[in-house]
Amino acid sequence: MALRLGADVCTATTEYGTILLDQRSGAYWELNPTGTLVVRTLLEGGDEEDAVDALVAEFDIDRGQAARDVAALTEQLRTSGLVS
């Protein structure tokens, strides 16, 4: 399932990855390059399987671990209210 950032969430790209800022609470998340790739894939309309494929293609990571990482990140983003 593709993601959409919450209306009060803005992003900034850094040398190390991406920052997600929740303007309601002032809390922010710093995504490393793997997290950035996952979020970008999902925001561009891909699903979790597409994000797993992107991680496996870009980084030296086992497919099973990539799937667990994608699921964990998307769950955390949803739970935090940063995405829908």
Side-chain angles (χ1 to χ4, degrees):
M1 172 185 291
L3 294 181
R4 191 175 73 222
L5 290 176
D8 296 319
V9 176
C10 62
T11 65
T13 303
T14 69
E15 290 180 33
Y16 184 65
T18 302
I19 303 292
L20 302 177
L21 171 63
D22 183 344
Q23 296 177 24
R24 296 169 298 176
S25 67
Y28 69 93
W29 287 47
E30 183 175 2
L31 301 175
N32 64 18
T34 58
T36 296
L37 180 58
V38 169
V39 169
R40 184 176 57 229
T41 300
L42 296 171
L43 290 174
E44 290 175 352
D47 60 18
E48 288 189 19
E49 191 64 29
D50 295 324
V52 170
D53 291 340
L55 284 180
V56 169
E58 184 70 23
F59 300 99
D60 183 23
I61 186 170
D62 169 85
R63 184 167 196 79
Q65 183 63 54
R68 289 187 295 276
D69 291 349
V70 168
L73 178 57
T74 56
E75 178 62 25
Q76 290 173 343
L77 292 171
R78 284 189 179 104
T79 301
S80 71
L82 294 173
V83 300
S84 57

